[in-house]
C-alpha cells in the first residue's frame, strides 16, 4: 500500500483527490496538511508540514506558489518524492524545483489531465506543418473567477510545446492594448478569461489565410485532474531522484 500525504487537503482539489484516493485499492492518504483546519477528513490533518510526523511514500501538492519552497525543503529532508501540481511558479521557484530533483524525485506538471498531455503532443505535430506554412498561433484559456495566476500554467505549457517543436523561434505576447502595430509572425498570443465556475478550457488556434484549425480541451470536472494526480503519486512512489512529468506516467 502506497502511503500518501495530501498537501493542501482542505482546498477544492485536495478534497476531490481525497475522494478519488479513497476509492483506490493500492494507495492511502495517511495525513493531510492545511492551515484551514475546519473540515473533517478520514486522516489526521496538520496545520503545517513541520508539525507532520507521519511516514509516507509520496506527497501530492495542490496549494499555492508561496508554499513551494517549504514543501521542497521538507521533501528533501524526509526523502519523500513529491507530485507538484501547483502552477504560477516564478523562474526562481522553477530553478528550486530543478535543484530539488537532484536529491529527491519530483514530478511537476502544469496540468494533470491525460487529455491535455495528449493535446501537447498533437499541437507539436500541428505546429511543424501549420506554423511552417505561416499560420498565426493564438492560445485562449478560460478558468473560474478564483484562479490567481494568469495565463494558466497549462496555457504556457501548450505554448512551450509549440516552441519546442519550432526550435524556440517564437516569443509570447500577453497584452496587445499598449502596442498599435501589426502582429509579428513569430509570436504566440496568449489570452486569459476569468469568470464564474469554469473548470478549465484551452483553445490552441492556428489561423491561416482563409482557414483556421483549432485544438480544444474542455475540463468539466476537477476529477480529471485528481485522477491524474493519484496516478502520478502511484508512479512516483519509490522512484530515484529526478525531474519527472506526466509524459513519464502516461508512457509507464
Amino acid at each position: 500500500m502506497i502511503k500518501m500525504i495530501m498537501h493542501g487537503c482542505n482546498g477544492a482539489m485536495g478534497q476531490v483527490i481525497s475522494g478519488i484516493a479513497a476509492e483506490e485499492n493500492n494507495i492511502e492518504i495517511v495525513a493531510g496538511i492545511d492551515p484551514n483546519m475546519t473540515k473533517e477528513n478520514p486522516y489526521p490533518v496538520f496545520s503545517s508540514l513541520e508539525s507532520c510526523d507521519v511516514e509516507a511514500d509520496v506527497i501530492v501538492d495542490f496549494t499555492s506558489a508561496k508554499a513551494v519552497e517549504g514543501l521542497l525543503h521538507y521533501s528533501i529532508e524526509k526523502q519523500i518524492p513529491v507530485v507538484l501540481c501547483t502552477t504560477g511558479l516564478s523562474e526562481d521557484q522553477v530553478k528550486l524545483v530543478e535543484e530539488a530533483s537532484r536529491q529527491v524525485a519530483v514530478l511537476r506538471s502544469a496540468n494533470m489531465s491525460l487529455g491535455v498531455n495528449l493535446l501537447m503532443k498533437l499541437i507539436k505535430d500541428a505546429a511543424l506543418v501549420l506554423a511552417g506554412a505561416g499560420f498565426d498561433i493564438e492560445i485562449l484559456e478560460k478558468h473560474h473567477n478564483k484562479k490567481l495566476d494568469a495565463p494558466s500554467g497549462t496555457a504556457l505549457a501548450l505554448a512551450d510545446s509549440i516552441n519546442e517543436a519550432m526550435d524556440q523561434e517564437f516569443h509570447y505576447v500577453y497584452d496587445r492594448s499598449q502596442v498599435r502595430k501589426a502582429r509579428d509572425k513569430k509570436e504566440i498570443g496568449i489570452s486569459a478569461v476569468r469568470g464564474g465556475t469554469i473548470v478549465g478550457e484551452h483553445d490552441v488556434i492556428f489561423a491561416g489565410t482563409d482557414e483556421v484549425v483549432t485544438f480544444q480541451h474542455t475540463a468539466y470536472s476537477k476529477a480529471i485532474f485528481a485522477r491524474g494526480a493519484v496516478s502520478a503519486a502511484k508512479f512516483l512512489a519509490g522512484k530515484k531522484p529526478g525531474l519527472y512529468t506526466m509524459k513519464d506516467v502516461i508512457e509507464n
Side-chain angles (χ1 to χ4, degrees):
M1 179 72 73
I2 297 170
K3 298 178 180 179
M4 170 182 145
I5 292 175
M6 184 65 236
H7 190 229
C9 63
N10 288 335
M13 279 305 306
Q15 288 292 287
V16 177
I17 291 172
S18 295
I20 296 293
E23 298 172 356
E24 298 288 325
N25 295 323
N26 55 352
I27 191 166
E28 175 189 11
I29 299 180
V30 293
I33 312 295
D34 206 300
N36 172 18
M37 304 285 284
T38 60
K39 295 182 180 179
E40 292 291 330
N41 291 284
Y43 47 77
V45 177
F46 302 85
S47 60
S48 67
L49 280 166
E50 292 74 21
S51 60
C52 178
D53 58 357
V54 178
E55 293 186 0
D57 302 305
V58 65
I59 304 169
V60 171
D61 166 73
F62 254 110
T63 54
S64 65
K66 64 182 180 182
V68 167
E69 288 92 336
L71 170 64
L72 293 174
H73 178 77
Y74 180 89
S75 177
I76 292 170
E77 180 184 1
K78 301 292 186 179
Q79 283 295 291
I80 305 176
V82 58
V83 177
L84 187 60
C85 306
T86 296
T87 61
L89 304 188
S90 67
E91 290 184 8
D92 288 341
Q93 288 176 317
V94 171
K95 289 179 181 177
L96 286 176
V97 172
E98 292 171 352
E99 292 170 3
S101 70
R102 299 188 187 105
Q103 302 179 64
V104 68
V106 179
L107 189 149
R108 177 174 176 255
S109 178
N111 192 299
M112 305 305 293
S113 156
L114 174 63
V116 165
N117 283 276
L118 175 60
L119 177 60
M120 290 180 187
K121 180 180 185 300
L122 294 175
I123 62 173
K124 279 186 174 183
D125 295 338
L128 290 171
V129 177
L130 300 177
F135 280 56
D136 297 321
I137 307 168
E138 294 284 321
I139 297 173
L140 172 64
E141 59 97 343
K142 304 174 186 178
H143 284 87
H144 53 85
N145 57 22
K146 293 182 173 57
K147 186 171 178 59
L148 301 180
D149 56 313
S152 69
T154 300
L156 291 171
L158 291 167
D160 288 344
S161 293
I162 293 170
N163 222 3
E164 181 182 331
M166 301 304 295
D167 294 326
Q168 307 298 326
E169 65 182 44
F170 287 90
H171 62 277
Y172 306 158
V173 173
Y174 308 103
D175 180 14
R176 303 185 193 281
S177 65
Q178 303 302 312
V179 180
R180 297 183 62 82
K181 66 177 183 179
R183 186 186 196 285
D184 183 355
K185 298 300 293 184
K186 295 300 182 182
E187 72 179 47
I188 297 175
I190 305 176
S191 303
V193 173
R194 295 289 175 269
T197 58
I198 301 171
V199 176
E201 296 180 16
H202 292 86
D203 290 356
V204 181
I205 304 163
F206 292 89
T209 302
D210 299 329
E211 62 178 329
V212 175
V213 179
T214 301
F215 292 83
Q216 183 182 70
H217 179 273
T218 302
Y220 293 103
S221 166
K222 289 183 173 66
I224 65 171
F225 311 120
R227 292 190 187 96
V230 172
S231 294
K234 292 179 181 179
F235 165 82
L236 200 64
K239 287 291 186 295
K240 296 178 180 179
L243 189 56
Y244 300 85
T245 69
M246 281 300 289
K247 181 180 178 182
D248 297 305
V249 178
I250 293 169
E251 294 179 350
N252 182 51

